[in-house]
Amino acid sequence: MNIALIAHDAKKELMVQFCIAYCGILSRHNLCATGTTGKMVAEATGLNITRYMSGAQGGAQQISARISCNEIDLLLFFRDPLTAKTSEPNENDMFRLCDMRSIPVATNIATAEVLIHGLERGDLDWRNIVNPNH
């Protein structure tokens, strides 16, 4: 599966810790991330991560483009709900694209853990049943 990783500044360390904890599962998938998040996770875990620009410089839009082309299967986006972001309209567009394409999204660690355990069990392979050419 193609998994995208994004984290707001206040949640980057949490994303790193999550990826350390689930490195064994994540290593079996194709990972991409916005610039700083990808760099931090790769340095801490050794995971192979395709890095895009930082979120503020358009990295989230690059991932959104991959979502719109059905090239992302799972989005882990650790958001900081306490700090207003100028990028929120773009983030809402990303979530809308995920909803349109039935792409599972986690915006916090609790949901991310549910999805990662489902991924490990094979519960998220439904796209191959619905669309075998995906």
Side-chain angles (χ1 to χ4, degrees), residues 44-122:
T45 63
L47 289 167
N48 184 22
I49 301 174
T50 300
R51 288 178 40 212
Y52 295 107
M53 291 184 273
S54 73
Q57 295 178 335
Q61 286 84 359
Q62 290 177 297
I63 291 175
S64 287
R66 291 200 60 202
I67 291 168
S68 69
C69 294
N70 281 323
E71 296 174 354
I72 298 294
D73 301 304
L74 175 66
L75 173 62
L76 303 178
F77 189 154
F78 287 6
R79 301 175 69 202
D80 174 10
L82 300 177
T83 306
K85 306 284 184 286
T86 57
S87 59
E88 270 188 80
N90 293 329
E91 292 170 8
N92 288 335
D93 288 342
M94 180 185 296
F95 297 138
R96 182 180 53 79
L97 287 169
C98 288
D99 288 342
M100 290 170 55
R101 286 161 179 74
S102 295
I103 296 169
V105 177
T107 59
N108 58 63
I109 192 159
T111 308
E113 287 186 331
V114 168
L115 289 177
I116 205 80
H117 288 294
L119 180 63
E120 183 178 30
R121 286 190 310 266

Side-chain angles (χ1 to χ4, degrees), residues 21-34:
Y22 295 105
C23 188
I25 297 168
L26 293 170
S27 67
R28 297 190 297 267
H29 300 278
N30 300 314
L31 305 176
C32 68
T34 49

